[in-house]
Amino acid sequence: MLRWLVCLALLAATPSFAEEAPAPVPATETAPAPAVATPATPAPATAEPAAPAADAPPGDFSLLRIDVEDGFALHPWLYHEFRLSELIGILGALHAQTPAVVNKVGSPAFAELDVGPNFHVGPLQINPQIGVDLGFSSDAAGGHTIASDVIPQLYVLFSLGRVNAEFWNMYFIPFDGSPHFYVGRLLANVRLVGGLALGPHMEWNWKRDFGQQLLAFGGDVLYTFRWGQVGLFAAYDRKNQVPVFRLTFLREL
């Protein structure tokens, strides 16, 4: 009788074991979670080799600029920056100008070499330079005299989003004892749509013992396209009461 009751109890318990058997299925469904996390684990390993690239200084930078100055003088420039780190580079500029076609007295031919450190501070570039130039002019006998200057300079450039601004300062100290003179430029522009940008622009010249030589107020129209940037500076010189202009082409090399 006891054996029969035990067998009956075992038979009664069997359906409950069958119902509990599917319980491991949720565990099987959650098992892929580590598999999803597993591919993510190599991410730090792949990120680590990229770290030295972040410490590497940016590459060198070259720029070609060609100005057609007021008086139709041709003024080509070549800039090159040797980038030493994220914060500093050495910037050199070599440029020259042909004699003006219209205003030959005010725009003599010259050649100039400038060099100095270029500090990159967020959206700012602060570039003090020292330069030397050779100026060529005809004398009464038809020959040429060479007037050389040493030129301390300071350039401050700002670029953030659609806004760009520049502040130029050049102080010319002639070797032959002629009066020192200062040249300044202040300009800003905003990109409106596509490659089109507009903004105000003023320039001034001052000569020691003679005072103001130029005071021009105007603006820039710039257009950036596939091959570079073209710009037109047009202004009115209030000192001499004449219009002035400059046509510029810029291209990164």
mmCIF file with all atom_site columns, all heavy atoms in Angstrom, residues 65 69 168 183-187 201-205 212 214-218 220 233 235-237 244 246:
data_model
loop_
_atom_site.group_PDB
_atom_site.id
_atom_site.type_symbol
_atom_site.label_atom_id
_atom_site.label_alt_id
_atom_site.label_comp_id
_atom_site.label_asym_id
_atom_site.label_entity_id
_atom_site.label_seq_id
_atom_site.pdbx_PDB_ins_code
_atom_site.Cartn_x
_atom_site.Cartn_y
_atom_site.Cartn_z
_atom_site.occupancy
_atom_site.B_iso_or_equiv
_atom_site.pdbx_formal_charge
_atom_site.auth_seq_id
_atom_site.auth_comp_id
_atom_site.auth_asym_id
_atom_site.auth_atom_id
_atom_site.pdbx_PDB_model_num
ATOM 1   N N   . ARG A 1 65  ? 48.955 84.897  -52.864 1.00 0.00 ? 65  ARG A N   1
ATOM 2   C CA  . ARG A 1 65  ? 48.091 86.070  -52.937 1.00 0.00 ? 65  ARG A CA  1
ATOM 3   C C   . ARG A 1 65  ? 48.591 86.953  -54.081 1.00 0.00 ? 65  ARG A C   1
ATOM 4   O O   . ARG A 1 65  ? 49.797 87.183  -54.208 1.00 0.00 ? 65  ARG A O   1
ATOM 5   C CB  . ARG A 1 65  ? 48.112 86.839  -51.614 1.00 0.00 ? 65  ARG A CB  1
ATOM 6   C CG  . ARG A 1 65  ? 47.389 88.184  -51.674 1.00 0.00 ? 65  ARG A CG  1
ATOM 7   C CD  . ARG A 1 65  ? 47.313 88.842  -50.321 1.00 0.00 ? 65  ARG A CD  1
ATOM 8   N NE  . ARG A 1 65  ? 46.632 90.129  -50.409 1.00 0.00 ? 65  ARG A NE  1
ATOM 9   C CZ  . ARG A 1 65  ? 45.940 90.685  -49.426 1.00 0.00 ? 65  ARG A CZ  1
ATOM 10  N NH1 . ARG A 1 65  ? 45.830 90.071  -48.261 1.00 0.00 ? 65  ARG A NH1 1
ATOM 11  N NH2 . ARG A 1 65  ? 45.348 91.852  -49.601 1.00 0.00 ? 65  ARG A NH2 1
ATOM 12  N N   . GLU A 1 69  ? 46.942 96.520  -57.338 1.00 0.00 ? 69  GLU A N   1
ATOM 13  C CA  . GLU A 1 69  ? 46.770 97.692  -56.485 1.00 0.00 ? 69  GLU A CA  1
ATOM 14  C C   . GLU A 1 69  ? 46.198 98.874  -57.269 1.00 0.00 ? 69  GLU A C   1
ATOM 15  O O   . GLU A 1 69  ? 46.171 98.873  -58.507 1.00 0.00 ? 69  GLU A O   1
ATOM 16  C CB  . GLU A 1 69  ? 48.125 98.093  -55.878 1.00 0.00 ? 69  GLU A CB  1
ATOM 17  C CG  . GLU A 1 69  ? 48.812 97.007  -55.064 1.00 0.00 ? 69  GLU A CG  1
ATOM 18  C CD  . GLU A 1 69  ? 48.262 96.882  -53.661 1.00 0.00 ? 69  GLU A CD  1
ATOM 19  O OE1 . GLU A 1 69  ? 47.350 97.670  -53.291 1.00 0.00 ? 69  GLU A OE1 1
ATOM 20  O OE2 . GLU A 1 69  ? 48.732 95.996  -52.924 1.00 0.00 ? 69  GLU A OE2 1
ATOM 21  N N   . TRP A 1 168 ? 46.165 94.999  -39.525 1.00 0.00 ? 168 TRP A N   1
ATOM 22  C CA  . TRP A 1 168 ? 47.549 95.063  -40.008 1.00 0.00 ? 168 TRP A CA  1
ATOM 23  C C   . TRP A 1 168 ? 48.223 96.306  -39.429 1.00 0.00 ? 168 TRP A C   1
ATOM 24  O O   . TRP A 1 168 ? 47.640 97.396  -39.412 1.00 0.00 ? 168 TRP A O   1
ATOM 25  C CB  . TRP A 1 168 ? 47.593 95.171  -41.525 1.00 0.00 ? 168 TRP A CB  1
ATOM 26  C CG  . TRP A 1 168 ? 47.081 93.993  -42.296 1.00 0.00 ? 168 TRP A CG  1
ATOM 27  C CD1 . TRP A 1 168 ? 46.108 93.108  -41.928 1.00 0.00 ? 168 TRP A CD1 1
ATOM 28  C CD2 . TRP A 1 168 ? 47.516 93.588  -43.604 1.00 0.00 ? 168 TRP A CD2 1
ATOM 29  N NE1 . TRP A 1 168 ? 45.900 92.185  -42.915 1.00 0.00 ? 168 TRP A NE1 1
ATOM 30  C CE2 . TRP A 1 168 ? 46.739 92.461  -43.963 1.00 0.00 ? 168 TRP A CE2 1
ATOM 31  C CE3 . TRP A 1 168 ? 48.452 94.076  -44.499 1.00 0.00 ? 168 TRP A CE3 1
ATOM 32  C CZ2 . TRP A 1 168 ? 46.898 91.801  -45.185 1.00 0.00 ? 168 TRP A CZ2 1
ATOM 33  C CZ3 . TRP A 1 168 ? 48.610 93.428  -45.724 1.00 0.00 ? 168 TRP A CZ3 1
ATOM 34  C CH2 . TRP A 1 168 ? 47.852 92.300  -46.050 1.00 0.00 ? 168 TRP A CH2 1
ATOM 35  N N   . VAL A 1 183 ? 51.785 102.158 -41.753 1.00 0.00 ? 183 VAL A N   1
ATOM 36  C CA  . VAL A 1 183 ? 50.677 101.732 -42.602 1.00 0.00 ? 183 VAL A CA  1
ATOM 37  C C   . VAL A 1 183 ? 49.772 100.817 -41.774 1.00 0.00 ? 183 VAL A C   1
ATOM 38  O O   . VAL A 1 183 ? 50.257 99.875  -41.129 1.00 0.00 ? 183 VAL A O   1
ATOM 39  C CB  . VAL A 1 183 ? 51.185 100.991 -43.853 1.00 0.00 ? 183 VAL A CB  1
ATOM 40  C CG1 . VAL A 1 183 ? 50.018 100.452 -44.680 1.00 0.00 ? 183 VAL A CG1 1
ATOM 41  C CG2 . VAL A 1 183 ? 52.066 101.901 -44.697 1.00 0.00 ? 183 VAL A CG2 1
ATOM 42  N N   . GLY A 1 184 ? 48.490 101.093 -41.788 1.00 0.00 ? 184 GLY A N   1
ATOM 43  C CA  . GLY A 1 184 ? 47.547 100.282 -41.029 1.00 0.00 ? 184 GLY A CA  1
ATOM 44  C C   . GLY A 1 184 ? 46.346 99.879  -41.857 1.00 0.00 ? 184 GLY A C   1
ATOM 45  O O   . GLY A 1 184 ? 45.927 100.596 -42.772 1.00 0.00 ? 184 GLY A O   1
ATOM 46  N N   . ARG A 1 185 ? 45.805 98.707  -41.536 1.00 0.00 ? 185 ARG A N   1
ATOM 47  C CA  . ARG A 1 185 ? 44.573 98.227  -42.166 1.00 0.00 ? 185 ARG A CA  1
ATOM 48  C C   . ARG A 1 185 ? 43.692 97.597  -41.090 1.00 0.00 ? 185 ARG A C   1
ATOM 49  O O   . ARG A 1 185 ? 44.194 96.909  -40.183 1.00 0.00 ? 185 ARG A O   1
ATOM 50  C CB  . ARG A 1 185 ? 44.849 97.174  -43.241 1.00 0.00 ? 185 ARG A CB  1
ATOM 51  C CG  . ARG A 1 185 ? 45.610 97.650  -44.450 1.00 0.00 ? 185 ARG A CG  1
ATOM 52  C CD  . ARG A 1 185 ? 45.763 96.534  -45.481 1.00 0.00 ? 185 ARG A CD  1
ATOM 53  N NE  . ARG A 1 185 ? 46.617 96.940  -46.603 1.00 0.00 ? 185 ARG A NE  1
ATOM 54  C CZ  . ARG A 1 185 ? 46.928 96.160  -47.631 1.00 0.00 ? 185 ARG A CZ  1
ATOM 55  N NH1 . ARG A 1 185 ? 46.446 94.926  -47.684 1.00 0.00 ? 185 ARG A NH1 1
ATOM 56  N NH2 . ARG A 1 185 ? 47.718 96.605  -48.592 1.00 0.00 ? 185 ARG A NH2 1
ATOM 57  N N   . LEU A 1 186 ? 42.399 97.819  -41.194 1.00 0.00 ? 186 LEU A N   1
ATOM 58  C CA  . LEU A 1 186 ? 41.431 97.209  -40.286 1.00 0.00 ? 186 LEU A CA  1
ATOM 59  C C   . LEU A 1 186 ? 40.222 96.813  -41.121 1.00 0.00 ? 186 LEU A C   1
ATOM 60  O O   . LEU A 1 186 ? 39.618 97.666  -41.781 1.00 0.00 ? 186 LEU A O   1
ATOM 61  C CB  . LEU A 1 186 ? 41.033 98.187  -39.184 1.00 0.00 ? 186 LEU A CB  1
ATOM 62  C CG  . LEU A 1 186 ? 40.031 97.665  -38.145 1.00 0.00 ? 186 LEU A CG  1
ATOM 63  C CD1 . LEU A 1 186 ? 40.593 96.451  -37.407 1.00 0.00 ? 186 LEU A CD1 1
ATOM 64  C CD2 . LEU A 1 186 ? 39.654 98.769  -37.168 1.00 0.00 ? 186 LEU A CD2 1
ATOM 65  N N   . LEU A 1 187 ? 39.882 95.541  -41.087 1.00 0.00 ? 187 LEU A N   1
ATOM 66  C CA  . LEU A 1 187 ? 38.777 95.060  -41.920 1.00 0.00 ? 187 LEU A CA  1
ATOM 67  C C   . LEU A 1 187 ? 38.073 93.895  -41.251 1.00 0.00 ? 187 LEU A C   1
ATOM 68  O O   . LEU A 1 187 ? 38.634 93.218  -40.388 1.00 0.00 ? 187 LEU A O   1
ATOM 69  C CB  . LEU A 1 187 ? 39.294 94.656  -43.303 1.00 0.00 ? 187 LEU A CB  1
ATOM 70  C CG  . LEU A 1 187 ? 40.343 93.541  -43.328 1.00 0.00 ? 187 LEU A CG  1
ATOM 71  C CD1 . LEU A 1 187 ? 39.734 92.214  -43.766 1.00 0.00 ? 187 LEU A CD1 1
ATOM 72  C CD2 . LEU A 1 187 ? 41.491 93.918  -44.264 1.00 0.00 ? 187 LEU A CD2 1
ATOM 73  N N   . HIS A 1 201 ? 36.003 98.075  -44.456 1.00 0.00 ? 201 HIS A N   1
ATOM 74  C CA  . HIS A 1 201 ? 37.461 98.020  -44.597 1.00 0.00 ? 201 HIS A CA  1
ATOM 75  C C   . HIS A 1 201 ? 37.980 99.458  -44.601 1.00 0.00 ? 201 HIS A C   1
ATOM 76  O O   . HIS A 1 201 ? 37.497 100.292 -45.358 1.00 0.00 ? 201 HIS A O   1
ATOM 77  C CB  . HIS A 1 201 ? 37.809 97.315  -45.908 1.00 0.00 ? 201 HIS A CB  1
ATOM 78  C CG  . HIS A 1 201 ? 39.263 97.089  -46.145 1.00 0.00 ? 201 HIS A CG  1
ATOM 79  N ND1 . HIS A 1 201 ? 39.748 95.997  -46.834 1.00 0.00 ? 201 HIS A ND1 1
ATOM 80  C CD2 . HIS A 1 201 ? 40.369 97.810  -45.812 1.00 0.00 ? 201 HIS A CD2 1
ATOM 81  C CE1 . HIS A 1 201 ? 41.067 96.064  -46.924 1.00 0.00 ? 201 HIS A CE1 1
ATOM 82  N NE2 . HIS A 1 201 ? 41.462 97.170  -46.301 1.00 0.00 ? 201 HIS A NE2 1
ATOM 83  N N   . MET A 1 202 ? 38.971 99.728  -43.754 1.00 0.00 ? 202 MET A N   1
ATOM 84  C CA  . MET A 1 202 ? 39.602 101.042 -43.758 1.00 0.00 ? 202 MET A CA  1
ATOM 85  C C   . MET A 1 202 ? 41.116 100.892 -43.746 1.00 0.00 ? 202 MET A C   1
ATOM 86  O O   . MET A 1 202 ? 41.653 99.905  -43.231 1.00 0.00 ? 202 MET A O   1
ATOM 87  C CB  . MET A 1 202 ? 39.146 101.890 -42.565 1.00 0.00 ? 202 MET A CB  1
ATOM 88  C CG  . MET A 1 202 ? 39.577 101.388 -41.208 1.00 0.00 ? 202 MET A CG  1
ATOM 89  S SD  . MET A 1 202 ? 39.092 102.498 -39.848 1.00 0.00 ? 202 MET A SD  1
ATOM 90  C CE  . MET A 1 202 ? 40.033 103.982 -40.254 1.00 0.00 ? 202 MET A CE  1
ATOM 91  N N   . GLU A 1 203 ? 41.808 101.871 -44.339 1.00 0.00 ? 203 GLU A N   1
ATOM 92  C CA  . GLU A 1 203 ? 43.274 101.880 -44.381 1.00 0.00 ? 203 GLU A CA  1
ATOM 93  C C   . GLU A 1 203 ? 43.764 103.300 -44.131 1.00 0.00 ? 203 GLU A C   1
ATOM 94  O O   . GLU A 1 203 ? 43.072 104.269 -44.474 1.00 0.00 ? 203 GLU A O   1
ATOM 95  C CB  . GLU A 1 203 ? 43.785 101.376 -45.739 1.00 0.00 ? 203 GLU A CB  1
ATOM 96  C CG  . GLU A 1 203 ? 43.394 99.946  -46.038 1.00 0.00 ? 203 GLU A CG  1
ATOM 97  C CD  . GLU A 1 203 ? 44.076 99.384  -47.283 1.00 0.00 ? 203 GLU A CD  1
ATOM 98  O OE1 . GLU A 1 203 ? 44.890 100.104 -47.896 1.00 0.00 ? 203 GLU A OE1 1
ATOM 99  O OE2 . GLU A 1 203 ? 43.795 98.223  -47.631 1.00 0.00 ? 203 GLU A OE2 1
ATOM 100 N N   . TRP A 1 204 ? 44.967 103.402 -43.550 1.00 0.00 ? 204 TRP A N   1
ATOM 101 C CA  . TRP A 1 204 ? 45.529 104.721 -43.272 1.00 0.00 ? 204 TRP A CA  1
ATOM 102 C C   . TRP A 1 204 ? 47.054 104.642 -43.318 1.00 0.00 ? 204 TRP A C   1
ATOM 103 O O   . TRP A 1 204 ? 47.645 103.604 -43.011 1.00 0.00 ? 204 TRP A O   1
ATOM 104 C CB  . TRP A 1 204 ? 45.051 105.237 -41.917 1.00 0.00 ? 204 TRP A CB  1
ATOM 105 C CG  . TRP A 1 204 ? 45.421 104.362 -40.756 1.00 0.00 ? 204 TRP A CG  1
ATOM 106 C CD1 . TRP A 1 204 ? 46.511 104.474 -39.928 1.00 0.00 ? 204 TRP A CD1 1
ATOM 107 C CD2 . TRP A 1 204 ? 44.718 103.201 -40.287 1.00 0.00 ? 204 TRP A CD2 1
ATOM 108 N NE1 . TRP A 1 204 ? 46.521 103.462 -38.984 1.00 0.00 ? 204 TRP A NE1 1
ATOM 109 C CE2 . TRP A 1 204 ? 45.434 102.683 -39.180 1.00 0.00 ? 204 TRP A CE2 1
ATOM 110 C CE3 . TRP A 1 204 ? 43.541 102.558 -40.693 1.00 0.00 ? 204 TRP A CE3 1
ATOM 111 C CZ2 . TRP A 1 204 ? 45.010 101.556 -38.482 1.00 0.00 ? 204 TRP A CZ2 1
ATOM 112 C CZ3 . TRP A 1 204 ? 43.131 101.429 -39.994 1.00 0.00 ? 204 TRP A CZ3 1
ATOM 113 C CH2 . TRP A 1 204 ? 43.855 100.947 -38.909 1.00 0.00 ? 204 TRP A CH2 1
ATOM 114 N N   . ASN A 1 205 ? 47.667 105.703 -43.760 1.00 0.00 ? 205 ASN A N   1
ATOM 115 C CA  . ASN A 1 205 ? 49.128 105.865 -43.776 1.00 0.00 ? 205 ASN A CA  1
ATOM 116 C C   . ASN A 1 205 ? 49.475 107.150 -43.030 1.00 0.00 ? 205 ASN A C   1
ATOM 117 O O   . ASN A 1 205 ? 48.783 108.166 -43.169 1.00 0.00 ? 205 ASN A O   1
ATOM 118 C CB  . ASN A 1 205 ? 49.677 105.960 -45.204 1.00 0.00 ? 205 ASN A CB  1
ATOM 119 C CG  . ASN A 1 205 ? 49.490 104.663 -45.980 1.00 0.00 ? 205 ASN A CG  1
ATOM 120 O OD1 . ASN A 1 205 ? 49.024 103.672 -45.446 1.00 0.00 ? 205 ASN A OD1 1
ATOM 121 N ND2 . ASN A 1 205 ? 49.835 104.690 -47.259 1.00 0.00 ? 205 ASN A ND2 1
ATOM 122 N N   . GLN A 1 212 ? 49.204 112.703 -41.646 1.00 0.00 ? 212 GLN A N   1
ATOM 123 C CA  . GLN A 1 212 ? 48.373 111.747 -42.366 1.00 0.00 ? 212 GLN A CA  1
ATOM 124 C C   . GLN A 1 212 ? 48.632 111.820 -43.870 1.00 0.00 ? 212 GLN A C   1
ATOM 125 O O   . GLN A 1 212 ? 48.645 112.886 -44.470 1.00 0.00 ? 212 GLN A O   1
ATOM 126 C CB  . GLN A 1 212 ? 46.900 112.056 -42.100 1.00 0.00 ? 212 GLN A CB  1
ATOM 127 C CG  . GLN A 1 212 ? 45.950 110.947 -42.510 1.00 0.00 ? 212 GLN A CG  1
ATOM 128 C CD  . GLN A 1 212 ? 45.847 109.864 -41.460 1.00 0.00 ? 212 GLN A CD  1
ATOM 129 O OE1 . GLN A 1 212 ? 45.711 110.153 -40.274 1.00 0.00 ? 212 GLN A OE1 1
ATOM 130 N NE2 . GLN A 1 212 ? 45.920 108.621 -41.866 1.00 0.00 ? 212 GLN A NE2 1
ATOM 131 N N   . LEU A 1 214 ? 47.158 109.063 -45.960 1.00 0.00 ? 214 LEU A N   1
ATOM 132 C CA  . LEU A 1 214 ? 46.022 108.374 -46.565 1.00 0.00 ? 214 LEU A CA  1
ATOM 133 C C   . LEU A 1 214 ? 45.031 108.032 -45.466 1.00 0.00 ? 214 LEU A C   1
ATOM 134 O O   . LEU A 1 214 ? 45.412 107.611 -44.360 1.00 0.00 ? 214 LEU A O   1
ATOM 135 C CB  . LEU A 1 214 ? 46.470 107.110 -47.296 1.00 0.00 ? 214 LEU A CB  1
ATOM 136 C CG  . LEU A 1 214 ? 45.397 106.228 -47.944 1.00 0.00 ? 214 LEU A CG  1
ATOM 137 C CD1 . LEU A 1 214 ? 45.910 105.632 -49.254 1.00 0.00 ? 214 LEU A CD1 1
ATOM 138 C CD2 . LEU A 1 214 ? 44.952 105.096 -47.019 1.00 0.00 ? 214 LEU A CD2 1
ATOM 139 N N   . LEU A 1 215 ? 43.755 108.202 -45.748 1.00 0.00 ? 215 LEU A N   1
ATOM 140 C CA  . LEU A 1 215 ? 42.689 107.824 -44.818 1.00 0.00 ? 215 LEU A CA  1
ATOM 141 C C   . LEU A 1 215 ? 41.501 107.367 -45.670 1.00 0.00 ? 215 LEU A C   1
ATOM 142 O O   . LEU A 1 215 ? 40.700 108.186 -46.124 1.00 0.00 ? 215 LEU A O   1
ATOM 143 C CB  . LEU A 1 215 ? 42.300 108.990 -43.918 1.00 0.00 ? 215 LEU A CB  1
ATOM 144 C CG  . LEU A 1 215 ? 41.270 108.677 -42.832 1.00 0.00 ? 215 LEU A CG  1
ATOM 145 C CD1 . LEU A 1 215 ? 41.773 107.583 -41.898 1.00 0.00 ? 215 LEU A CD1 1
ATOM 146 C CD2 . LEU A 1 215 ? 40.919 109.941 -42.056 1.00 0.00 ? 215 LEU A CD2 1
ATOM 147 N N   . ALA A 1 216 ? 41.428 106.075 -45.908 1.00 0.00 ? 216 ALA A N   1
ATOM 148 C CA  . ALA A 1 216 ? 40.449 105.526 -46.839 1.00 0.00 ? 216 ALA A CA  1
ATOM 149 C C   . ALA A 1 216 ? 39.419 104.690 -46.097 1.00 0.00 ? 216 ALA A C   1
ATOM 150 O O   . ALA A 1 216 ? 39.762 103.809 -45.301 1.00 0.00 ? 216 ALA A O   1
ATOM 151 C CB  . ALA A 1 216 ? 41.155 104.667 -47.899 1.00 0.00 ? 216 ALA A CB  1
ATOM 152 N N   . PHE A 1 217 ? 38.148 104.954 -46.373 1.00 0.00 ? 217 PHE A N   1
ATOM 153 C CA  . PHE A 1 217 ? 37.036 104.198 -45.811 1.00 0.00 ? 217 PHE A CA  1
ATOM 154 C C   . PHE A 1 217 ? 36.266 103.547 -46.950 1.00 0.00 ? 217 PHE A C   1
ATOM 155 O O   . PHE A 1 217 ? 35.946 104.199 -47.947 1.00 0.00 ? 217 PHE A O   1
ATOM 156 C CB  . PHE A 1 217 ? 36.092 105.114 -45.026 1.00 0.00 ? 217 PHE A CB  1
ATOM 157 C CG  . PHE A 1 217 ? 36.703 105.726 -43.803 1.00 0.00 ? 217 PHE A CG  1
ATOM 158 C CD1 . PHE A 1 217 ? 37.320 106.970 -43.873 1.00 0.00 ? 217 PHE A CD1 1
ATOM 159 C CD2 . PHE A 1 217 ? 36.672 105.055 -42.590 1.00 0.00 ? 217 PHE A CD2 1
ATOM 160 C CE1 . PHE A 1 217 ? 37.887 107.537 -42.747 1.00 0.00 ? 217 PHE A CE1 1
ATOM 161 C CE2 . PHE A 1 217 ? 37.240 105.616 -41.459 1.00 0.00 ? 217 PHE A CE2 1
ATOM 162 C CZ  . PHE A 1 217 ? 37.847 106.865 -41.532 1.00 0.00 ? 217 PHE A CZ  1
ATOM 163 N N   . GLY A 1 218 ? 35.973 102.267 -46.803 1.00 0.00 ? 218 GLY A N   1
ATOM 164 C CA  . GLY A 1 218 ? 35.235 101.561 -47.839 1.00 0.00 ? 218 GLY A CA  1
ATOM 165 C C   . GLY A 1 218 ? 34.821 100.189 -47.369 1.00 0.00 ? 218 GLY A C   1
ATOM 166 O O   . GLY A 1 218 ? 34.486 99.985  -46.200 1.00 0.00 ? 218 GLY A O   1
ATOM 167 N N   . ASP A 1 220 ? 34.777 95.586  -48.538 1.00 0.00 ? 220 ASP A N   1
ATOM 168 C CA  . ASP A 1 220 ? 35.228 94.440  -49.328 1.00 0.00 ? 220 ASP A CA  1
ATOM 169 C C   . ASP A 1 220 ? 34.028 93.634  -49.808 1.00 0.00 ? 220 ASP A C   1
ATOM 170 O O   . ASP A 1 220 ? 33.043 93.461  -49.078 1.00 0.00 ? 220 ASP A O   1
ATOM 171 C CB  . ASP A 1 220 ? 36.115 93.510  -48.495 1.00 0.00 ? 220 ASP A CB  1
ATOM 172 C CG  . ASP A 1 220 ? 37.461 94.114  -48.168 1.00 0.00 ? 220 ASP A CG  1
ATOM 173 O OD1 . ASP A 1 220 ? 38.143 94.567  -49.097 1.00 0.00 ? 220 ASP A OD1 1
ATOM 174 O OD2 . ASP A 1 220 ? 37.821 94.137  -46.978 1.00 0.00 ? 220 ASP A OD2 1
ATOM 175 N N   . PHE A 1 233 ? 38.398 95.434  -52.884 1.00 0.00 ? 233 PHE A N   1
ATOM 176 C CA  . PHE A 1 233 ? 38.375 96.503  -51.892 1.00 0.00 ? 233 PHE A CA  1
ATOM 177 C C   . PHE A 1 233 ? 38.169 97.808  -52.640 1.00 0.00 ? 233 PHE A C   1
ATOM 178 O O   . PHE A 1 233 ? 38.958 98.170  -53.516 1.00 0.00 ? 233 PHE A O   1
ATOM 179 C CB  . PHE A 1 233 ? 39.685 96.529  -51.112 1.00 0.00 ? 233 PHE A CB  1
ATOM 180 C CG  . PHE A 1 233 ? 39.932 97.808  -50.364 1.00 0.00 ? 233 PHE A CG  1
ATOM 181 C CD1 . PHE A 1 233 ? 39.061 98.244  -49.386 1.00 0.00 ? 233 PHE A CD1 1
ATOM 182 C CD2 . PHE A 1 233 ? 41.048 98.588  -50.640 1.00 0.00 ? 233 PHE A CD2 1
ATOM 183 C CE1 . PHE A 1 233 ? 39.288 99.435  -48.692 1.00 0.00 ? 233 PHE A CE1 1
ATOM 184 C CE2 . PHE A 1 233 ? 41.289 99.773  -49.966 1.00 0.00 ? 233 PHE A CE2 1
ATOM 185 C CZ  . PHE A 1 233 ? 40.402 100.192 -48.980 1.00 0.00 ? 233 PHE A CZ  1
ATOM 186 N N   . ALA A 1 235 ? 37.212 101.989 -51.889 1.00 0.00 ? 235 ALA A N   1
ATOM 187 C CA  . ALA A 1 235 ? 37.096 102.968 -50.814 1.00 0.00 ? 235 ALA A CA  1
ATOM 188 C C   . ALA A 1 235 ? 37.319 104.371 -51.355 1.00 0.00 ? 235 ALA A C   1
ATOM 189 O O   . ALA A 1 235 ? 37.689 104.554 -52.533 1.00 0.00 ? 235 ALA A O   1
ATOM 190 C CB  . ALA A 1 235 ? 38.114 102.650 -49.716 1.00 0.00 ? 235 ALA A CB  1
ATOM 191 N N   . TYR A 1 236 ? 37.115 105.329 -50.482 1.00 0.00 ? 236 TYR A N   1
ATOM 192 C CA  . TYR A 1 236 ? 37.358 106.724 -50.829 1.00 0.00 ? 236 TYR A CA  1
ATOM 193 C C   . TYR A 1 236 ? 38.386 107.293 -49.863 1.00 0.00 ? 236 TYR A C   1
ATOM 194 O O   . TYR A 1 236 ? 38.213 107.217 -48.642 1.00 0.00 ? 236 TYR A O   1
ATOM 195 C CB  . TYR A 1 236 ? 36.066 107.536 -50.752 1.00 0.00 ? 236 TYR A CB  1
ATOM 196 C CG  . TYR A 1 236 ? 36.236 108.972 -51.216 1.00 0.00 ? 236 TYR A CG  1
ATOM 197 C CD1 . TYR A 1 236 ? 36.359 109.266 -52.570 1.00 0.00 ? 236 TYR A CD1 1
ATOM 198 C CD2 . TYR A 1 236 ? 36.307 110.017 -50.297 1.00 0.00 ? 236 TYR A CD2 1
ATOM 199 C CE1 . TYR A 1 236 ? 36.525 110.578 -53.012 1.00 0.00 ? 236 TYR A CE1 1
ATOM 200 C CE2 . TYR A 1 236 ? 36.465 111.324 -50.720 1.00 0.00 ? 236 TYR A CE2 1
ATOM 201 C CZ  . TYR A 1 236 ? 36.581 111.598 -52.077 1.00 0.00 ? 236 TYR A CZ  1
ATOM 202 O OH  . TYR A 1 236 ? 36.749 112.899 -52.497 1.00 0.00 ? 236 TYR A OH  1
ATOM 203 N N   . ASP A 1 237 ? 39.475 107.818 -50.410 1.00 0.00 ? 237 ASP A N   1
ATOM 204 C CA  . ASP A 1 237 ? 40.542 108.411 -49.606 1.00 0.00 ? 237 ASP A CA  1
ATOM 205 C C   . ASP A 1 237 ? 40.146 109.852 -49.252 1.00 0.00 ? 237 ASP A C   1
ATOM 206 O O   . ASP A 1 237 ? 40.207 110.747 -50.103 1.00 0.00 ? 237 ASP A O   1
ATOM 207 C CB  . ASP A 1 237 ? 41.851 108.378 -50.395 1.00 0.00 ? 237 ASP A CB  1
ATOM 208 C CG  . ASP A 1 237 ? 43.018 109.004 -49.623 1.00 0.00 ? 237 ASP A CG  1
ATOM 209 O OD1 . ASP A 1 237 ? 42.832 109.385 -48.451 1.00 0.00 ? 237 ASP A OD1 1
ATOM 210 O OD2 . ASP A 1 237 ? 44.105 109.111 -50.217 1.00 0.00 ? 237 ASP A OD2 1
ATOM 211 N N   . VAL A 1 244 ? 40.021 104.744 -54.224 1.00 0.00 ? 244 VAL A N   1
ATOM 212 C CA  . VAL A 1 244 ? 41.093 103.747 -54.256 1.00 0.00 ? 244 VAL A CA  1
ATOM 213 C C   . VAL A 1 244 ? 40.454 102.365 -54.378 1.00 0.00 ? 244 VAL A C   1
ATOM 214 O O   . VAL A 1 244 ? 39.300 102.161 -53.988 1.00 0.00 ? 244 VAL A O   1
ATOM 215 C CB  . VAL A 1 244 ? 41.983 103.814 -52.992 1.00 0.00 ? 244 VAL A CB  1
ATOM 216 C CG1 . VAL A 1 244 ? 42.747 105.111 -52.937 1.00 0.00 ? 244 VAL A CG1 1
ATOM 217 C CG2 . VAL A 1 244 ? 41.157 103.635 -51.730 1.00 0.00 ? 244 VAL A CG2 1
ATOM 218 N N   . ARG A 1 246 ? 41.491 97.822  -54.743 1.00 0.00 ? 246 ARG A N   1
ATOM 219 C CA  . ARG A 1 246 ? 42.464 96.724  -54.804 1.00 0.00 ? 246 ARG A CA  1
ATOM 220 C C   . ARG A 1 246 ? 41.705 95.459  -55.172 1.00 0.00 ? 246 ARG A C   1
ATOM 221 O O   . ARG A 1 246 ? 40.700 95.129  -54.528 1.00 0.00 ? 246 ARG A O   1
ATOM 222 C CB  . ARG A 1 246 ? 43.174 96.540  -53.464 1.00 0.00 ? 246 ARG A CB  1
ATOM 223 C CG  . ARG A 1 246 ? 44.205 95.394  -53.465 1.00 0.00 ? 246 ARG A CG  1
ATOM 224 C CD  . ARG A 1 246 ? 44.844 95.187  -52.097 1.00 0.00 ? 246 ARG A CD  1
ATOM 225 N NE  . ARG A 1 246 ? 45.457 96.404  -51.614 1.00 0.00 ? 246 ARG A NE  1
ATOM 226 C CZ  . ARG A 1 246 ? 44.988 97.132  -50.598 1.00 0.00 ? 246 ARG A CZ  1
ATOM 227 N NH1 . ARG A 1 246 ? 43.892 96.750  -49.967 1.00 0.00 ? 246 ARG A NH1 1
ATOM 228 N NH2 . ARG A 1 246 ? 45.601 98.224  -50.218 1.00 0.00 ? 246 ARG A NH2 1
#
